[in-house]
């Protein structure tokens, strides 16, 4: 049997004398001679050079073996053009004992070289470093080369006639055979199909392979099978995995500024791509945000489990739950890492009597239960200080940790350590800013009987940081009260400190009894740079207050009027006693710090028992909600105002927030109470000096009726001086009003806008002591302006009486 496909081969038989005795149709097709022209004629006449005939005959007779002879000869086609043939000659013996030869030839010019000598091609494929195999149409091995035999570790004789999954069950046979079927059906090759697994050649180490598949067809297009070529790309795969793991460690562990979350992310990165179990244990000081101690940590015997991850749900192999303490011996890998900051690798855990594992009963029990077999412990270091340790364990994967795994784990931990330390510093700053903010916010909202107040403040989550949201309730003259809520741009200590400055500024301006629009205008001036100075873009961005918003509300319990103005802040909600919620049409006004833009006040009259709700935009926009949707939800939750304010404020936050907000949230609820006739008395007085005595009598009778006889003398002096001052320096009618509060209030209004001035009279002066006496006898006093003039007021002091 010749070692080549007989299709397309010219075959002839020659007798002992060299004459053609048989001529096939294929010979006619190759050389062009019909049978009649060559039969019984010397075959040598077909040669281009007749001397080749003698050479061929001599060579064949000298090598009369069953294997025959092969060589190249030049012949003449019938039409005259030369042909180079590959010629095989085998000796023949007929029954009569006569010798002859069987000739087989192919046209070298039309036949590929591998068809000329397939045995040479097979020797080449067998010596190829690329593993190759041929599978039958039913996907069974029919041929493979030496490289594939070495790669898989399964001998040829154990492969022939078997399917892929029967030979290599620890590779993904289902997917691989699926690729083969697709190639058989479509004829389209598949290039660089990657998969991973274990083979008998290296049963304890996972390898990656790149395989290409192509279909084998014969010259008639019939499917003969599928051939695949496989290359071990483990090094390439491991390099790619290392790079991906390092990139993830740098990006994923920096997604938050929470120490615990960052530690958990580090553990999750390591499983399952590097280990079967990973744990991150940190110093308690690091979790609190404090700076780690410099130098070796020789005395540390305990860490806190900050994060862990396992291939099994619930981390059953762990010796501690997240948040619990973890103890270890100084001689253990963890103790050594803390002492010298170096990493520890134990490819195969030593369970002998001299191993460190015998000193730790808890870990020893976990080792026996789960078969923990390979360990890496790596110190978490940042800025030269040890923050804790990271532990990686393998017990399901058969391949132990290697030095390359340790180098990779060290790089992953190093990148995560930077983020852990950043989160630690942020925790420290966040705690400091939060403490500062809580100290600067009002600890107790001081109100009179005119307002019932409740408040809530929710700082942003760890990623947002403490912001500049603030609120306040400020007692004003005439039993009035100011409600204020603001939101400063920025986060952190600077924002908290700026919030404190803003709150102080608002209180100072409120003491001037300015209308809401004027107060915001003065506050806006405080944010702007001093005259003649310009802020750079960097300074403007860093300047907390530029772009701040504020809402200022003044409630008068005597008139039940509420005046308000806002600087780019969300409008307040006004809830009637019946539960109707409205957001008054209050002009928005520009944010603070823009300068030159006016603010506008609006005044509303509130029914007794109305509810005011002031808040910051963090409440409306929580969870990525649209502000309009936030207003609608707030309207719904405030529609039941009959609840106690403390309870209602909690319901508002629970409804509007589904978790820690992304931005600070401030909420201030106030229920109004009006002062009736039993708390307010007023009289109109003519501008006549004779009326001063009458004014004293009216004040005395009013205080006695309220049971405040101990304040009569003080009231008589203050009323006399204030009414006399109004008659002397003003014109038109005068109004005297007494308001019953914890510190009763005396007010005298006139039509003059000139402010009185406190001065110290000399011993020889006959006058000028009126306001001095008022200041000495009152708790506090002052002046506020009205559209029609001014009011001089004084709060009576029982101690002065």
């Amino acid at each position: 049997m010749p070692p080549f496909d007989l299709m397309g081969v010219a075959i002839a038989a020659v007798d002992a004398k060299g004459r053609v005795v048989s001529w096939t149709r294929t010979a006619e097709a190759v050389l062009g001679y019909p049978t009649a022209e060559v039969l019984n004629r010397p075959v040598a006449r077909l040669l281009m050079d007749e001397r080749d005939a003698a050479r061929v005959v001599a060579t064949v007779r000298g090598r009369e073996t069953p294997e025959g002879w092969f060589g190249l000869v030049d012949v003449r086609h019938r039409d005259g053009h030369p042909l180079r043939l590959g010629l095989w000659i085998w000796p023949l013996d007929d029954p009569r004992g006569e010798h002859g030869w069987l000739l087989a030839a192919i046209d070298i010019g039309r036949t590929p070289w591998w068809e000329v000598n397939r045995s040479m091609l097979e020797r080449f494929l067998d010596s190829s470093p690329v593993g190759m195999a041929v599978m039958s149409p039913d996907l069974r091995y029919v041929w493979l080369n030496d490289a594939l035999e070495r790669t898989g570790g399964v001998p040829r004789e154990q492969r022939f006639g078997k399917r892929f999954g029967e030979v290599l069950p620890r590779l993904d046979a289902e997917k691989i055979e699926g690729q083969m079927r697709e190639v058989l059906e479509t004829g389209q090759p598949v290039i660089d199909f990657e998969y991973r697994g274990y083979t008998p050649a290296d049963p304890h180490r996972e390898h990656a392979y790149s395989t290409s598949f192509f279909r084998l067809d014969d010259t008639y297009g019939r499917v003969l099978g599928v051939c695949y070529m496989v290359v071990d790309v483990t090094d390439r795969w491991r390099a790619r995995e290392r790079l991906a793991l390092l990139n993830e460690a740098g990006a994923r562990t920096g997604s938050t500024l929470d120490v615990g979350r960052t530690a958990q992310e580090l553990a999750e990165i390591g499983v399952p791509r590097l280990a079967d179990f990973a744990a991150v244990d940190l110093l308690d000081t690091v979790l609190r945000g404090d700076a780690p101690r410099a130098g070796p940590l020789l005395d540390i015997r305990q860490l806190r489990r900050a994060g862990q991850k396992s291939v099994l749900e619930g981390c059953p192999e762990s010796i501690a739950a997240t948040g619990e303490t973890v103890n270890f011996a100084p001689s253990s890998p963890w103790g050594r890492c803390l002492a010298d900051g170096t990493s520890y690798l134990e490819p195969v855990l030593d369970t002998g009597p001299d191993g460190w594992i015998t000193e730790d009963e808890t870990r020893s029990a976990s080792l026996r239960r789960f078969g923990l077999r390979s360990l890496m412990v790596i110190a978490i270091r940042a800025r030269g200080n040890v923050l804790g340790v990271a532990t990686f364990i393998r017990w399901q994967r058969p391949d132990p940790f290697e030095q390359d795994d340790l180098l990779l784990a060290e790089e992953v931990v190093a990148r995560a350590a930077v983020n852990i330390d950043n989160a630690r510093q942020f925790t420290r700053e966040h705690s400091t800013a939060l403490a500062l903010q809580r100290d600067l916010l009002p600890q107790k909202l001081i109100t009179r009987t005119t307002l019932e107040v409740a408040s809530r403040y929710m700082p942003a989550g760890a990623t947002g940081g403490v912001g500049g949201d603030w609120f306040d309730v400020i007692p004003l003259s005439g039993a009035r009260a100011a409600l204020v809520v603001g939101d400063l741009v920025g986060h952190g200590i600077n924002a908290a400190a700026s919030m404190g400055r803003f709150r102080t500024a608002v209180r100072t301006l409120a003491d001037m009894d300015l209308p809401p629009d004027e107060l915001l205008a003065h506050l806006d001036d405080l944010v702007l740079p001093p005259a003649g100075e310009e802020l750079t873009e960097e300074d403007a961005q860093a300047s907390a207050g530029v772009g701040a918003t504020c809402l200022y509300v003044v409630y008068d319990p005597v008139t039940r009027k509420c005046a308000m103005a806002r600087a780019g802040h969300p409008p307040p909600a006004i809830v009637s006693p019946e539960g109707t919620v409205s957001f008054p049409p209050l002009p928005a006004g520009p944010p603070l710090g823009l300068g030159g833009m006016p603010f506008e006040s609006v005044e509303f009259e509130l029914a007794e028992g109305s509810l005011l709700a002031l808040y910051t935009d963090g409440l409306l926009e929580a969870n990525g909600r649209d502000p309009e949707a936030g207003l609608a939800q707030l309207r719904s939750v405030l529609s039941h105002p009959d609840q106690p304010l403390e309870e209602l404020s909690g319901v508002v936050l629970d409804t509007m927030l589904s978790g820690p907000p992304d931005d600070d949230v401030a909420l201030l609820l106030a229920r109004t109470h009006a002062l009736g006739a039993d708390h307010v008395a007023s009289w109109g007085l003519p501008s006549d000096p004779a009326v001063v005595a009458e004014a004293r009598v009216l004040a005395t009778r009013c205080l006695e009726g309220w049971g405040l006889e101990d304040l009569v003398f003080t009231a008589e002096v203050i009323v006399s001086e204030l009414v006399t001052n109004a008659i002397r320096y003003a014109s038109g009618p005068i109004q005297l009003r007494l308001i019953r509060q914890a510190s009763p209030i005396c007010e005298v209004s006139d039509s003059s806008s000139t402010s009185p001035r406190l001065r110290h009279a000399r011993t020889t002066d006959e006058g000028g002591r009126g306001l001095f006496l008022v200041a000495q006898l009152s708790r506090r006093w002052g002046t506020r302006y009205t559209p029609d003039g001014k009011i001089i007021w004084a709060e009576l002091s029982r101690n002065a009486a």
Side-chain angles (χ1 to χ4, degrees), residues 54-66:
R55 177 178 63 83
V56 171
V57 171
T59 304
V60 171
R61 286 177 174 172
R63 296 179 54 193
E64 292 187 2
T65 62

Side-chain angles (χ1 to χ4, degrees), residues 218-233:
D218 64 12
T219 55
Y220 293 97
R222 292 176 299 189
V223 178
L224 302 178
V226 62
C227 177
Y228 75 83
M229 297 183 293
V230 60
V231 178
D232 190 323
V233 293

Side-chain angles (χ1 to χ4, degrees), residues 476 480-484 514-520 551-557 559-566 572 574 584 586 600-606 612 614 672:
L476 300 177
R480 298 170 306 134
L483 305 172
V484 58
L514 296 174
D517 56 338
E518 291 187 25
L519 183 141
L520 291 180
L551 171 64
Y552 188 77
V553 178
V554 175
Y555 173 66
D556 187 340
T559 62
R560 292 188 287 106
K561 291 183 178 180
C562 184
M564 58 185 70
R566 60 179 176 138
I574 299 178
L586 180 63
E600 185 177 348
S601 287
V602 177
E603 191 172 71
F604 303 93
E605 185 172 331
L606 302 181
L612 285 168
L614 287 70
T672 63

Side-chain angles (χ1 to χ4, degrees), residues 641-662:
D642 52 338
Q643 306 175 65
L645 288 190
E646 287 293 338
E647 180 179 329
L648 180 59
S649 59
V651 172
V652 170
L653 291 189
D654 291 342
T655 304
M656 302 291 290
L657 306 178
S658 60
D662 297 328

Side-chain angles (χ1 to χ4, degrees), residues 238-538:
R238 288 185 179 274
R240 190 171 59 209
E241 286 291 299
R242 288 187 177 96
L243 182 60
L245 199 61
L246 291 177
N247 289 337
E248 184 178 356
R252 183 176 175 185
T253 58
S255 61
T256 67
L257 287 172
D258 179 81
V259 176
R261 181 58 198 160
T262 305
Q264 180 62 33
E265 288 170 344
L266 172 57
E268 291 174 353
I269 288 172
V271 177
R273 293 159 65 179
L274 184 61
D276 298 320
F277 173 78
V280 179
D281 302 321
L282 299 175
L283 298 166
D284 275 331
T285 54
V286 173
L287 289 169
R288 291 195 303 266
D290 298 336
R293 195 177 70 201
L297 305 179
L298 300 175
D299 58 335
I300 301 297
R301 300 289 181 270
Q302 189 180 82
L303 296 173
R304 192 166 296 277
R305 182 62 48 89
Q308 56 186 346
K309 176 68 175 178
S310 170
V311 293
L312 300 180
E313 186 176 356
C315 300
E317 66 270 57
S318 176
I319 64 171
T322 302
E324 293 182 349
T325 57
V326 179
N327 300 305
F328 50 86
S331 59
S332 69
W334 297 270
R336 281 180 269 179
C337 282
L338 291 175
D340 54 25
T342 59
S343 302
Y344 179 87
L345 169 65
E346 192 169 347
V348 179
L349 282 174
D350 182 9
T351 59
D354 299 328
W356 61 266
I357 194 71
T358 58
E359 301 178 8
D360 192 327
E361 295 182 0
T362 304
R363 287 187 173 87
S364 180
S366 180
L367 169 66
R368 291 191 298 270
R369 179 182 176 188
F370 293 96
L372 310 181
R373 58 168 63 96
S374 192
L375 171 71
M376 291 190 301
V377 181
I378 300 168
I380 303 174
R381 298 170 59 91
R383 297 174 177 87
N385 299 321
V386 177
L387 311 179
V389 293
T391 305
F392 301 91
I393 296 176
R394 284 181 181 174
W395 60 276
Q396 282 196 344
R397 294 172 57 168
D399 48 326
F401 288 121
E402 302 174 348
Q403 189 65 32
D404 286 346
D405 295 318
L406 180 63
L407 294 175
L408 174 61
E410 286 178 335
E411 185 63 26
V412 169
V413 171
R415 297 193 181 196
V418 174
N419 294 320
I420 290 176
D421 194 54
N422 289 339
R424 177 197 63 78
Q425 294 185 71
F426 177 82
T427 300
R428 179 63 174 174
E429 180 179 339
H430 184 269
S431 299
T432 302
L434 188 59
L436 175 62
Q437 187 178 45
R438 285 173 176 166
D439 286 342
L440 293 175
L441 286 172
Q443 305 301 309
K444 182 179 181 181
L445 297 177
I446 302 174
T447 62
R448 299 185 176 93
T449 56
T450 57
L451 282 178
E452 179 187 352
V453 179
S455 63
R456 288 289 189 277
Y457 174 76
M458 288 285 291
T463 56
V466 175
D469 290 18
W470 57 283
F471 59 90
D472 207 348
V473 178
I474 306 171
L476 300 177
S477 63
R480 298 170 306 134
L483 305 172
V484 58
V485 170
D487 186 357
L488 272 70
V489 176
H491 294 89
I493 293 179
N494 289 338
S498 296
M499 177 270 290
R501 293 195 298 268
F502 259 63
R503 178 170 175 255
T504 301
V506 170
R507 278 188 164 264
T508 301
L509 294 171
D511 283 342
M512 298 171 63
D513 271 323
L514 296 174
D517 56 338
E518 291 187 25
L519 183 141
L520 291 180
H522 283 284
L523 192 62
D524 186 48
D525 292 337
L526 293 177
V527 177
L528 294 173
E533 295 185 12
E534 293 186 1
L535 282 177
T536 65
E537 183 177 352
E538 182 179 354

Side-chain angles (χ1 to χ4, degrees), residues 456 611 613-615 619-620 625 630 633-640 643 645-658 665-669:
R456 288 289 189 277
L611 181 69
L614 287 70
Y615 48 87
L619 183 70
L620 299 181
R625 187 171 46 226
Q633 190 169 4
L634 183 61
R635 183 193 303 272
S636 175
V637 73
L638 289 177
S639 60
H640 304 284
Q643 306 175 65
L645 288 190
E646 287 293 338
E647 180 179 329
L648 180 59
S649 59
V651 172
V652 170
L653 291 189
D654 291 342
T655 304
M656 302 291 290
L657 306 178
S658 60
V665 172
L667 174 66
L668 182 61
L669 299 181

